[in-house]
Amino acid sequence: MPFDAKVLQSRLTGKRIGCRLHYEETVDSTNRVAMELAQGGAPEGMVVLADRQTAGRGRLQRSWQSPPGCNLYLSVILRPAIPPHDASQITLLAGVAVAEAISAVCTERVGIKWPNDLLIGGRKVCGILTETRTATGGIDSVVVGIGLNVNMERADFDPAHRETATSLREETGRDHSREDLLFLLCERFEPWYEIFLRDGFAPVREGWLARAEMTGKRLRVLFCDEVREGVFAGIDRDGALLIADEQGAIRRIIAGDATIMKG
Ligand code: BTN
């Protein structure tokens, strides 16, 4: 069953996040639609939601599997007054907020793999794609796209992801209300965003580190076509990944893709 937009809108009570809902049953990508709406002046907090995406986008030019009737695909439009180079911190903030929302319905630990893959039992349950539009002098808008696997069954995942992806249904053994999860997401996003705007990244960093999936682990990081290996050494005060090499020297990674190495 697709969503009932009227019911959703009437239940979204957040002051900022979810103040407006743009729902379409099928879109190519909620992030693309949200970027377009943002460019046309859509307000901060607007949520773009779809039942199905035909061209869901992932990080690093990957695609995001988006079948109808089972998962959440949404994008939140933000207009933070922060320097463009701090926009990536919103990605980490979103990871913490979504992890908290998931934890309300799932007793298993929800971990975060830098920058913002949400994992349960080492498998990815949610991906977040943040896209920023800058205007002269700063940020015009930030779109935070969230893809959460809710009721998808293992057999329905693309074979390439079947062993590494999961859904809330697979982890808890029962179906979940997508509507309730959407409200939980907005409910958790709102205070974290307020804290970030008021107090900066430090409290978000603490929340992120408390859920870090990489503590004590060896990582392989793909960064600008270069592969680097090292032991997870936390995240820096601006959200950059820190890894320690064999000699103990700390390297900063500001963007890239990290894999947790086995053993
Ligand atoms: C990733 O892990 O690679 C990020 C995946 C992000 C997927 C979501 S689904 C809703 C929003 N619209 C998109 O096209 N992508 C994001």
PDB file of all heavy atoms in Angstrom, residues 140-170:
ATOM      1  N   ASP A 140      22.944  27.598   0.170  1.00  0.00           N
ATOM      2  CA  ASP A 140      21.551  27.893  -0.157  1.00  0.00           C
ATOM      3  C   ASP A 140      20.667  26.825   0.485  1.00  0.00           C
ATOM      4  O   ASP A 140      19.690  27.130   1.159  1.00  0.00           O
ATOM      5  CB  ASP A 140      21.354  27.897  -1.681  1.00  0.00           C
ATOM      6  CG  ASP A 140      19.891  27.989  -2.039  1.00  0.00           C
ATOM      7  OD1 ASP A 140      19.333  29.096  -1.883  1.00  0.00           O
ATOM      8  OD2 ASP A 140      19.293  26.965  -2.419  1.00  0.00           O
ATOM      9  N   SER A 141      21.032  25.557   0.267  1.00  0.00           N
ATOM     10  CA  SER A 141      20.234  24.484   0.855  1.00  0.00           C
ATOM     11  C   SER A 141      21.061  23.207   0.963  1.00  0.00           C
ATOM     12  O   SER A 141      21.994  22.989   0.199  1.00  0.00           O
ATOM     13  CB  SER A 141      18.989  24.213   0.007  1.00  0.00           C
ATOM     14  OG  SER A 141      19.363  24.027  -1.330  1.00  0.00           O
ATOM     15  N   VAL A 142      20.673  22.403   1.941  1.00  0.00           N
ATOM     16  CA  VAL A 142      21.260  21.069   2.109  1.00  0.00           C
ATOM     17  C   VAL A 142      20.099  20.089   2.043  1.00  0.00           C
ATOM     18  O   VAL A 142      19.086  20.280   2.718  1.00  0.00           O
ATOM     19  CB  VAL A 142      21.963  20.927   3.485  1.00  0.00           C
ATOM     20  CG1 VAL A 142      22.477  19.507   3.684  1.00  0.00           C
ATOM     21  CG2 VAL A 142      23.107  21.916   3.610  1.00  0.00           C
ATOM     22  N   VAL A 143      20.239  19.066   1.214  1.00  0.00           N
ATOM     23  CA  VAL A 143      19.202  18.036   1.133  1.00  0.00           C
ATOM     24  C   VAL A 143      19.774  16.757   1.739  1.00  0.00           C
ATOM     25  O   VAL A 143      20.821  16.269   1.313  1.00  0.00           O
ATOM     26  CB  VAL A 143      18.770  17.811  -0.333  1.00  0.00           C
ATOM     27  CG1 VAL A 143      18.004  16.511  -0.492  1.00  0.00           C
ATOM     28  CG2 VAL A 143      17.911  18.989  -0.808  1.00  0.00           C
ATOM     29  N   VAL A 144      19.092  16.256   2.769  1.00  0.00           N
ATOM     30  CA  VAL A 144      19.532  15.022   3.432  1.00  0.00           C
ATOM     31  C   VAL A 144      18.603  13.896   2.985  1.00  0.00           C
ATOM     32  O   VAL A 144      17.429  13.864   3.345  1.00  0.00           O
ATOM     33  CB  VAL A 144      19.473  15.163   4.969  1.00  0.00           C
ATOM     34  CG1 VAL A 144      19.993  13.882   5.628  1.00  0.00           C
ATOM     35  CG2 VAL A 144      20.284  16.360   5.431  1.00  0.00           C
ATOM     36  N   GLY A 145      19.132  12.998   2.175  1.00  0.00           N
ATOM     37  CA  GLY A 145      18.334  11.883   1.657  1.00  0.00           C
ATOM     38  C   GLY A 145      18.546  10.645   2.503  1.00  0.00           C
ATOM     39  O   GLY A 145      19.686  10.251   2.776  1.00  0.00           O
ATOM     40  N   ILE A 146      17.458  10.044   2.929  1.00  0.00           N
ATOM     41  CA  ILE A 146      17.526   8.888   3.832  1.00  0.00           C
ATOM     42  C   ILE A 146      16.805   7.706   3.189  1.00  0.00           C
ATOM     43  O   ILE A 146      15.636   7.805   2.815  1.00  0.00           O
ATOM     44  CB  ILE A 146      16.859   9.232   5.185  1.00  0.00           C
ATOM     45  CG1 ILE A 146      17.571  10.428   5.833  1.00  0.00           C
ATOM     46  CG2 ILE A 146      16.870   8.014   6.120  1.00  0.00           C
ATOM     47  CD1 ILE A 146      16.833  11.048   7.002  1.00  0.00           C
ATOM     48  N   GLY A 147      17.517   6.612   3.050  1.00  0.00           N
ATOM     49  CA  GLY A 147      16.906   5.381   2.549  1.00  0.00           C
ATOM     50  C   GLY A 147      16.970   4.343   3.660  1.00  0.00           C
ATOM     51  O   GLY A 147      18.058   3.910   4.042  1.00  0.00           O
ATOM     52  N   LEU A 148      15.810   3.977   4.204  1.00  0.00           N
ATOM     53  CA  LEU A 148      15.764   3.030   5.326  1.00  0.00           C
ATOM     54  C   LEU A 148      15.028   1.763   4.892  1.00  0.00           C
ATOM     55  O   LEU A 148      13.868   1.826   4.465  1.00  0.00           O
ATOM     56  CB  LEU A 148      15.046   3.700   6.517  1.00  0.00           C
ATOM     57  CG  LEU A 148      14.781   2.840   7.754  1.00  0.00           C
ATOM     58  CD1 LEU A 148      16.081   2.301   8.362  1.00  0.00           C
ATOM     59  CD2 LEU A 148      14.024   3.648   8.812  1.00  0.00           C
ATOM     60  N   ASN A 149      15.719   0.643   4.980  1.00  0.00           N
ATOM     61  CA  ASN A 149      15.097  -0.641   4.631  1.00  0.00           C
ATOM     62  C   ASN A 149      14.213  -1.079   5.789  1.00  0.00           C
ATOM     63  O   ASN A 149      14.714  -1.413   6.861  1.00  0.00           O
ATOM     64  CB  ASN A 149      16.171  -1.705   4.364  1.00  0.00           C
ATOM     65  CG  ASN A 149      17.055  -1.337   3.189  1.00  0.00           C
ATOM     66  OD1 ASN A 149      16.607  -0.661   2.258  1.00  0.00           O
ATOM     67  ND2 ASN A 149      18.303  -1.752   3.228  1.00  0.00           N
ATOM     68  N   VAL A 150      12.907  -1.040   5.562  1.00  0.00           N
ATOM     69  CA  VAL A 150      11.963  -1.300   6.661  1.00  0.00           C
ATOM     70  C   VAL A 150      11.445  -2.742   6.608  1.00  0.00           C
ATOM     71  O   VAL A 150      11.776  -3.559   7.459  1.00  0.00           O
ATOM     72  CB  VAL A 150      10.800  -0.283   6.630  1.00  0.00           C
ATOM     73  CG1 VAL A 150       9.844  -0.543   7.802  1.00  0.00           C
ATOM     74  CG2 VAL A 150      11.318   1.151   6.694  1.00  0.00           C
ATOM     75  N   ASN A 151      10.619  -3.044   5.600  1.00  0.00           N
ATOM     76  CA  ASN A 151       9.977  -4.370   5.574  1.00  0.00           C
ATOM     77  C   ASN A 151      10.466  -5.249   4.429  1.00  0.00           C
ATOM     78  O   ASN A 151       9.819  -6.227   4.070  1.00  0.00           O
ATOM     79  CB  ASN A 151       8.453  -4.200   5.498  1.00  0.00           C
ATOM     80  CG  ASN A 151       7.903  -3.530   6.750  1.00  0.00           C
ATOM     81  OD1 ASN A 151       8.369  -3.805   7.856  1.00  0.00           O
ATOM     82  ND2 ASN A 151       6.965  -2.619   6.577  1.00  0.00           N
ATOM     83  N   MET A 152      11.588  -4.880   3.853  1.00  0.00           N
ATOM     84  CA  MET A 152      12.111  -5.634   2.717  1.00  0.00           C
ATOM     85  C   MET A 152      12.614  -7.005   3.185  1.00  0.00           C
ATOM     86  O   MET A 152      13.220  -7.121   4.251  1.00  0.00           O
ATOM     87  CB  MET A 152      13.260  -4.834   2.117  1.00  0.00           C
ATOM     88  CG  MET A 152      13.587  -5.202   0.716  1.00  0.00           C
ATOM     89  SD  MET A 152      14.361  -3.771  -0.023  1.00  0.00           S
ATOM     90  CE  MET A 152      15.242  -4.537  -1.346  1.00  0.00           C
ATOM     91  N   GLU A 153      12.353  -8.014   2.362  1.00  0.00           N
ATOM     92  CA  GLU A 153      12.788  -9.363   2.731  1.00  0.00           C
ATOM     93  C   GLU A 153      14.138  -9.667   2.098  1.00  0.00           C
ATOM     94  O   GLU A 153      14.440  -9.167   1.015  1.00  0.00           O
ATOM     95  CB  GLU A 153      11.746 -10.375   2.273  1.00  0.00           C
ATOM     96  CG  GLU A 153      10.433 -10.179   3.014  1.00  0.00           C
ATOM     97  CD  GLU A 153       9.400 -11.232   2.683  1.00  0.00           C
ATOM     98  OE1 GLU A 153       9.793 -12.363   2.364  1.00  0.00           O
ATOM     99  OE2 GLU A 153       8.206 -10.890   2.741  1.00  0.00           O
ATOM    100  N   ARG A 154      14.910 -10.491   2.780  1.00  0.00           N
ATOM    101  CA  ARG A 154      16.275 -10.815   2.315  1.00  0.00           C
ATOM    102  C   ARG A 154      16.283 -11.201   0.832  1.00  0.00           C
ATOM    103  O   ARG A 154      17.112 -10.746   0.058  1.00  0.00           O
ATOM    104  CB  ARG A 154      16.852 -11.946   3.182  1.00  0.00           C
ATOM    105  CG  ARG A 154      18.171 -12.494   2.732  1.00  0.00           C
ATOM    106  CD  ARG A 154      19.413 -12.073   3.524  1.00  0.00           C
ATOM    107  NE  ARG A 154      19.337 -12.155   4.947  1.00  0.00           N
ATOM    108  CZ  ARG A 154      19.560 -11.110   5.761  1.00  0.00           C
ATOM    109  NH1 ARG A 154      19.856  -9.936   5.269  1.00  0.00           N
ATOM    110  NH2 ARG A 154      19.496 -11.247   7.053  1.00  0.00           N
ATOM    111  N   ALA A 155      15.306 -12.027   0.425  1.00  0.00           N
ATOM    112  CA  ALA A 155      15.280 -12.538  -0.955  1.00  0.00           C
ATOM    113  C   ALA A 155      15.077 -11.418  -1.976  1.00  0.00           C
ATOM    114  O   ALA A 155      15.405 -11.593  -3.154  1.00  0.00           O
ATOM    115  CB  ALA A 155      14.175 -13.568  -1.101  1.00  0.00           C
ATOM    116  N   ASP A 156      14.527 -10.272  -1.526  1.00  0.00           N
ATOM    117  CA  ASP A 156      14.257  -9.176  -2.471  1.00  0.00           C
ATOM    118  C   ASP A 156      15.454  -8.248  -2.684  1.00  0.00           C
ATOM    119  O   ASP A 156      15.426  -7.382  -3.560  1.00  0.00           O
ATOM    120  CB  ASP A 156      13.050  -8.357  -1.998  1.00  0.00           C
ATOM    121  CG  ASP A 156      11.788  -9.193  -2.032  1.00  0.00           C
ATOM    122  OD1 ASP A 156      11.700 -10.089  -2.897  1.00  0.00           O
ATOM    123  OD2 ASP A 156      10.913  -8.974  -1.170  1.00  0.00           O
ATOM    124  N   PHE A 157      16.482  -8.387  -1.865  1.00  0.00           N
ATOM    125  CA  PHE A 157      17.676  -7.554  -2.086  1.00  0.00           C
ATOM    126  C   PHE A 157      18.397  -8.022  -3.340  1.00  0.00           C
ATOM    127  O   PHE A 157      18.404  -9.228  -3.653  1.00  0.00           O
ATOM    128  CB  PHE A 157      18.647  -7.664  -0.899  1.00  0.00           C
ATOM    129  CG  PHE A 157      18.224  -6.852   0.294  1.00  0.00           C
ATOM    130  CD1 PHE A 157      17.698  -7.459   1.428  1.00  0.00           C
ATOM    131  CD2 PHE A 157      18.344  -5.465   0.281  1.00  0.00           C
ATOM    132  CE1 PHE A 157      17.295  -6.710   2.521  1.00  0.00           C
ATOM    133  CE2 PHE A 157      17.953  -4.715   1.379  1.00  0.00           C
ATOM    134  CZ  PHE A 157      17.423  -5.336   2.501  1.00  0.00           C
ATOM    135  N   ASP A 158      19.009  -7.085  -4.061  1.00  0.00           N
ATOM    136  CA  ASP A 158      19.844  -7.472  -5.193  1.00  0.00           C
ATOM    137  C   ASP A 158      20.867  -8.481  -4.686  1.00  0.00           C
ATOM    138  O   ASP A 158      21.421  -8.293  -3.596  1.00  0.00           O
ATOM    139  CB  ASP A 158      20.608  -6.245  -5.746  1.00  0.00           C
ATOM    140  CG  ASP A 158      19.684  -5.331  -6.527  1.00  0.00           C
ATOM    141  OD1 ASP A 158      18.614  -5.809  -6.957  1.00  0.00           O
ATOM    142  OD2 ASP A 158      20.028  -4.146  -6.686  1.00  0.00           O
ATOM    143  N   PRO A 159      21.142  -9.532  -5.482  1.00  0.00           N
ATOM    144  CA  PRO A 159      22.086 -10.558  -5.016  1.00  0.00           C
ATOM    145  C   PRO A 159      23.413  -9.954  -4.532  1.00  0.00           C
ATOM    146  O   PRO A 159      23.990 -10.440  -3.553  1.00  0.00           O
ATOM    147  CB  PRO A 159      22.289 -11.425  -6.259  1.00  0.00           C
ATOM    148  CG  PRO A 159      21.031 -11.241  -7.044  1.00  0.00           C
ATOM    149  CD  PRO A 159      20.541  -9.855  -6.765  1.00  0.00           C
ATOM    150  N   ALA A 160      23.843  -8.878  -5.157  1.00  0.00           N
ATOM    151  CA  ALA A 160      25.135  -8.280  -4.775  1.00  0.00           C
ATOM    152  C   ALA A 160      25.127  -7.748  -3.345  1.00  0.00           C
ATOM    153  O   ALA A 160      26.186  -7.597  -2.723  1.00  0.00           O
ATOM    154  CB  ALA A 160      25.481  -7.148  -5.748  1.00  0.00           C
ATOM    155  N   HIS A 161      23.925  -7.423  -2.824  1.00  0.00           N
ATOM    156  CA  HIS A 161      23.849  -6.831  -1.478  1.00  0.00           C
ATOM    157  C   HIS A 161      23.234  -7.770  -0.444  1.00  0.00           C
ATOM    158  O   HIS A 161      23.089  -7.403   0.721  1.00  0.00           O
ATOM    159  CB  HIS A 161      23.031  -5.534  -1.515  1.00  0.00           C
ATOM    160  CG  HIS A 161      23.550  -4.533  -2.489  1.00  0.00           C
ATOM    161  ND1 HIS A 161      24.835  -4.053  -2.422  1.00  0.00           N
ATOM    162  CD2 HIS A 161      22.979  -3.947  -3.566  1.00  0.00           C
ATOM    163  CE1 HIS A 161      25.026  -3.208  -3.422  1.00  0.00           C
ATOM    164  NE2 HIS A 161      23.933  -3.132  -4.133  1.00  0.00           N
ATOM    165  N   ARG A 162      22.840  -8.973  -0.879  1.00  0.00           N
ATOM    166  CA  ARG A 162      22.066  -9.857   0.003  1.00  0.00           C
ATOM    167  C   ARG A 162      22.801 -10.198   1.300  1.00  0.00           C
ATOM    168  O   ARG A 162      22.198 -10.338   2.346  1.00  0.00           O
ATOM    169  CB  ARG A 162      21.695 -11.130  -0.773  1.00  0.00           C
ATOM    170  CG  ARG A 162      20.381 -11.687  -0.338  1.00  0.00           C
ATOM    171  CD  ARG A 162      19.824 -12.642  -1.359  1.00  0.00           C
ATOM    172  NE  ARG A 162      19.170 -11.976  -2.466  1.00  0.00           N
ATOM    173  CZ  ARG A 162      18.931 -12.540  -3.648  1.00  0.00           C
ATOM    174  NH1 ARG A 162      19.309 -13.773  -3.881  1.00  0.00           N
ATOM    175  NH2 ARG A 162      18.316 -11.867  -4.592  1.00  0.00           N
ATOM    176  N   GLU A 163      24.110 -10.297   1.226  1.00  0.00           N
ATOM    177  CA  GLU A 163      24.872 -10.664   2.429  1.00  0.00           C
ATOM    178  C   GLU A 163      25.285  -9.463   3.265  1.00  0.00           C
ATOM    179  O   GLU A 163      25.685  -9.622   4.417  1.00  0.00           O
ATOM    180  CB  GLU A 163      26.132 -11.468   2.037  1.00  0.00           C
ATOM    181  CG  GLU A 163      25.837 -12.803   1.348  1.00  0.00           C
ATOM    182  CD  GLU A 163      24.781 -13.624   2.095  1.00  0.00           C
ATOM    183  OE1 GLU A 163      24.891 -13.749   3.334  1.00  0.00           O
ATOM    184  OE2 GLU A 163      23.834 -14.121   1.444  1.00  0.00           O
ATOM    185  N   THR A 164      25.202  -8.281   2.679  1.00  0.00           N
ATOM    186  CA  THR A 164      25.713  -7.107   3.405  1.00  0.00           C
ATOM    187  C   THR A 164      24.615  -6.130   3.818  1.00  0.00           C
ATOM    188  O   THR A 164      24.862  -5.218   4.594  1.00  0.00           O
ATOM    189  CB  THR A 164      26.730  -6.343   2.532  1.00  0.00           C
ATOM    190  OG1 THR A 164      26.101  -6.069   1.264  1.00  0.00           O
ATOM    191  CG2 THR A 164      28.000  -7.132   2.316  1.00  0.00           C
ATOM    192  N   ALA A 165      23.394  -6.323   3.274  1.00  0.00           N
ATOM    193  CA  ALA A 165      22.292  -5.409   3.606  1.00  0.00           C
ATOM    194  C   ALA A 165      21.284  -6.123   4.488  1.00  0.00           C
ATOM    195  O   ALA A 165      21.238  -7.359   4.540  1.00  0.00           O
ATOM    196  CB  ALA A 165      21.617  -4.937   2.328  1.00  0.00           C
ATOM    197  N   THR A 166      20.467  -5.333   5.179  1.00  0.00           N
ATOM    198  CA  THR A 166      19.408  -5.913   5.991  1.00  0.00           C
ATOM    199  C   THR A 166      18.241  -4.938   6.070  1.00  0.00           C
ATOM    200  O   THR A 166      18.303  -3.834   5.523  1.00  0.00           O
ATOM    201  CB  THR A 166      19.935  -6.281   7.404  1.00  0.00           C
ATOM    202  OG1 THR A 166      18.975  -7.109   8.045  1.00  0.00           O
ATOM    203  CG2 THR A 166      20.215  -5.060   8.264  1.00  0.00           C
ATOM    204  N   SER A 167      17.175  -5.358   6.725  1.00  0.00           N
ATOM    205  CA  SER A 167      16.024  -4.479   6.940  1.00  0.00           C
ATOM    206  C   SER A 167      15.578  -4.643   8.389  1.00  0.00           C
ATOM    207  O   SER A 167      15.970  -5.610   9.069  1.00  0.00           O
ATOM    208  CB  SER A 167      14.877  -4.856   5.998  1.00  0.00           C
ATOM    209  OG  SER A 167      14.355  -6.114   6.384  1.00  0.00           O
ATOM    210  N   LEU A 168      14.729  -3.725   8.827  1.00  0.00           N
ATOM    211  CA  LEU A 168      14.228  -3.838  10.206  1.00  0.00           C
ATOM    212  C   LEU A 168      13.430  -5.124  10.377  1.00  0.00           C
ATOM    213  O   LEU A 168      13.471  -5.774  11.413  1.00  0.00           O
ATOM    214  CB  LEU A 168      13.364  -2.626  10.539  1.00  0.00           C
ATOM    215  CG  LEU A 168      14.126  -1.308  10.638  1.00  0.00           C
ATOM    216  CD1 LEU A 168      13.180  -0.164  10.936  1.00  0.00           C
ATOM    217  CD2 LEU A 168      15.181  -1.421  11.727  1.00  0.00           C
ATOM    218  N   ARG A 169      12.705  -5.487   9.329  1.00  0.00           N
ATOM    219  CA  ARG A 169      11.914  -6.726   9.391  1.00  0.00           C
ATOM    220  C   ARG A 169      12.823  -7.935   9.593  1.00  0.00           C
ATOM    221  O   ARG A 169      12.543  -8.808  10.412  1.00  0.00           O
ATOM    222  CB  ARG A 169      11.131  -6.874   8.092  1.00  0.00           C
ATOM    223  CG  ARG A 169      10.273  -8.099   8.034  1.00  0.00           C
ATOM    224  CD  ARG A 169       9.602  -8.172   6.667  1.00  0.00           C
ATOM    225  NE  ARG A 169       8.484  -9.086   6.688  1.00  0.00           N
ATOM    226  CZ  ARG A 169       8.581 -10.400   6.595  1.00  0.00           C
ATOM    227  NH1 ARG A 169       9.766 -10.965   6.461  1.00  0.00           N
ATOM    228  NH2 ARG A 169       7.515 -11.163   6.621  1.00  0.00           N
ATOM    229  N   GLU A 170      13.928  -7.957   8.845  1.00  0.00           N
ATOM    230  CA  GLU A 170      14.853  -9.095   8.967  1.00  0.00           C
ATOM    231  C   GLU A 170      15.458  -9.153  10.359  1.00  0.00           C
ATOM    232  O   GLU A 170      15.726 -10.229  10.881  1.00  0.00           O
ATOM    233  CB  GLU A 170      15.974  -8.991   7.920  1.00  0.00           C
ATOM    234  CG  GLU A 170      15.532  -9.240   6.481  1.00  0.00           C
ATOM    235  CD  GLU A 170      15.025 -10.669   6.266  1.00  0.00           C
ATOM    236  OE1 GLU A 170      15.524 -11.598   6.919  1.00  0.00           O
ATOM    237  OE2 GLU A 170      14.094 -10.820   5.451  1.00  0.00           O
TER     238      GLU A 170
END
